Amino acid sequence: MATAVAARSPAGKALLAVGGVLVAGGGAYYFSHIGTVKQLEKEQGALATKSFVAKGKFKRAESDILESESLIKALQQQTDLDMRAITAISQELEAAKLKVQQLEAQQQQKEKDVQRMRADAVKAQQQRDQARSDVQRFRQEAALAEKALAALDEQVAAARRQLNPLNHPLVRDFYKR
């Protein structure tokens, strides 16, 4: 009822008019800013999503950096180990090369020794064959010398018999008669 009374008086009418203008102005103000608020809230939501995604990417990037640093450290350690291994292998390779050179020198010396021994063996075979030939010749000479000695022994015996005057052929012929 108070509204009905105020509407009848001119001050009430003015008050209602001011109140209506205020309500209408407030409504107009509300409706004019509600679109801006909704737009800003929409942008705020988009930026919150962007911020959340960026923070996720940031955390993932930090995680990737830690993983990369860990991988780099592991690779550097493995590289150091591999370099030590390469150095050790190089030293072993040099030692093996030296050993190969020594073995090759020994092999060459042995090959020279074998060639010298083969030549000595051929020379020894030739000497053996010459000695066999000499043995055969000396046997023949010895056999001839034995025959000659036997013949000479007979001649010496005959000559010794001739020394005895009784063995003289004339004397013997005389006794045989």
Side-chain angles (χ1 to χ4, degrees):
M1 284 224 230
T3 316
V5 173
R8 290 189 187 157
S9 75
K13 285 183 180 181
L15 184 64
L16 270 176
V18 169
V21 169
L22 283 176
V23 169
Y29 179 78
Y30 173 79
F31 284 116
S32 71
H33 283 316
I34 192 78
T36 304
V37 169
K38 285 193 180 216
Q39 180 64 32
L40 290 175
E41 285 176 347
K42 186 177 180 184
E43 287 178 17
Q44 182 184 24
L47 285 176
T49 302
K50 241 182 184 181
S51 173
F52 179 76
V53 169
K55 284 180 183 178
K57 286 181 180 180
F58 171 76
K59 287 182 181 179
R60 180 66 185 149
E62 281 182 334
S63 175
D64 288 348
I65 288 170
L66 292 175
E67 286 179 24
S68 295
E69 287 175 350
S70 175
L71 179 62
I72 289 168
K73 186 176 180 180
L75 290 173
Q76 286 175 341
Q77 289 173 345
Q78 187 61 44
T79 300
D80 291 344
L81 290 174
D82 288 348
M83 288 305 293
R84 284 189 214 121
I86 288 170
T87 301
I89 290 170
S90 294
Q91 290 172 348
E92 288 179 19
L93 183 60
E94 288 302 317
K97 285 179 183 178
L98 180 61
K99 184 66 175 174
V100 167
Q101 289 174 350
Q102 291 172 347
L103 290 174
E104 285 176 344
Q106 288 177 358
Q107 180 185 15
Q108 289 173 355
Q109 183 60 43
K110 291 295 180 187
E111 287 173 352
K112 287 178 184 177
D113 291 347
V114 166
Q115 289 175 352
R116 182 179 46 79
M117 287 180 200
R118 284 182 180 161
D120 290 348
V122 167
K123 188 186 252 184
Q125 287 175 349
Q126 290 172 345
Q127 289 174 348
R128 180 201 61 203
D129 293 344
Q130 181 63 40
R132 282 182 180 166
S133 174
D134 289 346
V135 164
Q136 186 63 26
R137 187 178 45 128
F138 292 149
R139 277 187 188 152
Q140 290 174 353
E141 287 177 6
L144 289 175
E146 286 291 324
K147 285 182 183 177
L149 181 61
L152 191 57
D153 282 346
E154 279 185 34
Q155 288 178 357
V156 168
R160 281 196 179 150
R161 282 192 303 259
Q162 294 298 325
L163 287 177
N164 187 351
L166 294 173
N167 286 332
H168 193 275
L170 291 176
V171 173
R172 279 183 145 193
D173 283 341
F174 175 75
Y175 284 119
K176 276 186 187 176
R177 288 191 210 175

